Amino acid sequence: MRHLRNRHQKLWGMLAALGVVSGMLFAGGLAAADGPTALYSYNFLGTSGSVSNAGNYNPTLNLTLIGSWTASVTGAAFTGDLVSQQSVAFAKPTTGFTLSLTAAQTVGFGAHFTYVAPVNGCFGDSPNITQIGRFAANAAQAKLQYSNCSKGKTSEFIQCRFAGSLTPSSVLPIISTQALQNGSSYVVTCVKSADSGSTATVTLTVTRLDGYYGNVTTTNSYTVAATGAMQTAEALSVANKYPLPSITKNTDQFVGDMAKVAYCASSLPSDVSTCLATELPLQ
C-alpha cells in the first residue's frame, strides 16, 4: 500500500510539473479550463452582497456588490444615474491574473439579464453588462455591452468585444442584429475562436426568452483580426466598470435585473459551447 501511495505521489508531481492537474491546463503559468467547465460562474439569485464563484479558476474569487442595488426575484437589480446613485459587482484577485489564455484557446462568456430601455430611446454611452479587463491598445478584454446613439439607431442592440496582445485601440465591438425589447429577459453569449493566422471568428448569440410564444434567437458571426494572447489582472465586473467613475461620469451603468454571468475557455471550441449552455440555460 505504501509503495502504491508513493507511486501515486510521484505521478501527481510529474503531472503538476507538466502543468496538468485534475483536468486543468496551465497556460502562461495560470489555469484555463480544459474541458466543459466554467472559469467563472456567478449566480445572483439570493445574494446578500457577495456571490461565490462556482467556476474552477480562482474559485475563491467572490463578486462583491456595491452601490445602489437590491435583491430581486431573479437575482440582483442594479441601478444608477448621473446624479446620486451608481452600482457594480466586481471581483479582482489580489495576486495573479483574472484571465490568462493563449491565442490557441477558445474563450466565451455571457449573461442572463432583463433589459430596461433608456428613457430617451437610446443610450448616450454603452452601458456595461459584464467584462474582464479595460480596453486599451494591446490589452486583454472580454466585454458585453449595450449599443448607443452614435449610429443614429432608435433601438438598442447587444455588442461584444474581445481584445488581446495584438489588438489596437481602434478596434470596434461587433453587434447583434436583434433589437432589444423593454422588459424582456435575455441570455446572451459571445465566443471567440482560437486565432487562425491573422484572423479569428467571434460569434454573438442573443436569445430573448419567451415561455409563451417561444424563445427568439439571433446568431451573428464576424471575422475579426487575431487578438493574440489574452492576459489581464484587471477586474471582472458586472453592471458597470470597476473602479467606479465619478457620479457625473457614470455613463456605463447597467440598469436592470442580473441573474447570472459565466466565462468559459478551452482548447476545444465544443467544450466552450457546452460550458456556456450548461451555465446559461435557455429557461
Side-chain angles (χ1 to χ4, degrees):
M1 181 65 71
R2 181 180 298 174
H3 175 67
L4 291 174
R5 183 166 60 249
N6 289 340
R7 287 185 61 189
H8 175 76
Q9 290 172 342
K10 290 180 179 179
L11 178 60
W12 183 265
M14 291 172 61
L15 290 173
L18 290 172
V20 181
V21 177
S22 187
M24 304 293 286
L25 171 68
F26 285 79
L30 293 168
D34 189 29
T37 51
L39 300 178
Y40 299 103
S41 180
Y42 294 108
N43 188 337
F44 289 86
L45 186 62
T47 180
S48 58
S50 180
V51 184
S52 61
N53 179 22
N56 60 0
Y57 180 58
N58 284 337
T60 61
L61 191 62
N62 293 354
L63 270 181
T64 300
L65 282 65
I66 60 173
S68 302
W69 71 273
T70 57
S72 69
V73 174
T74 59
F78 292 89
T79 191
D81 52 35
L82 301 178
V83 180
S84 62
Q85 53 186 354
Q86 56 186 166
S87 55
V88 69
F90 70 94
K92 192 175 190 302
T94 54
T95 60
F97 298 101
T98 321
L99 193 65
S100 182
L101 302 174
T102 70
Q105 290 175 299
T106 297
V107 57
F109 69 122
H112 180 181
F113 61 90
T114 300
Y115 172 64
V116 177
V119 175
N120 297 326
C122 65
F123 297 109
D125 203 347
S126 299
N128 291 2
I129 299 171
T130 184
Q131 70 181 54
I132 292 179
R134 300 289 291 272
F135 186 59
N138 311 117
Q141 185 187 55
K143 181 179 183 179
L144 282 177
Q145 63 184 23
Y146 293 139
S147 59
N148 57 42
C149 299
S150 63
K151 300 300 181 182
K153 292 181 170 62
T154 57
S155 297
E156 286 299 332
F157 301 83
I158 297 294
Q159 293 181 319
C160 170
R161 176 164 55 203
F162 287 99
S165 61
L166 301 179
T167 307
S169 59
S170 58
V171 168
L172 298 175
I174 66 167
I175 189 168
S176 170
T177 55
Q178 181 178 153
L180 300 174
Q181 295 188 13
N182 188 38
S184 293
S185 293
Y186 290 86
V187 169
V188 175
T189 62
C190 195
V191 178
K192 188 195 84 72
S193 71
D195 288 353
S196 178
S198 61
T199 64
T201 300
V202 175
T203 302
L204 176 58
T205 302
V206 175
T207 299
R208 177 165 56 83
L209 303 178
D210 190 330
Y212 188 79
Y213 291 105
N215 297 340
V216 178
T217 298
T218 302
T219 299
N220 298 102
S221 292
Y222 295 83
T223 299
V224 300
T227 63
M230 299 174 65
Q231 188 176 81
T232 180
E234 294 291 334
L236 184 161
S237 67
V238 180
N240 211 331
K241 56 191 174 188
Y242 182 82
L244 286 169
S246 64
I247 191 69
T248 58
K249 296 181 180 180
N250 190 41
T251 57
D252 286 335
Q253 179 71 61
F254 167 94
V255 175
D257 281 11
M258 186 68 63
K260 193 171 185 181
V261 297
Y263 290 76
C264 304
S266 178
S267 56
L268 298 176
S270 59
D271 284 344
V272 173
S273 297
T274 299
C275 173
L276 290 173
T278 300
E279 299 300 325
L280 296 165
L282 302 181
Q283 60 185 25

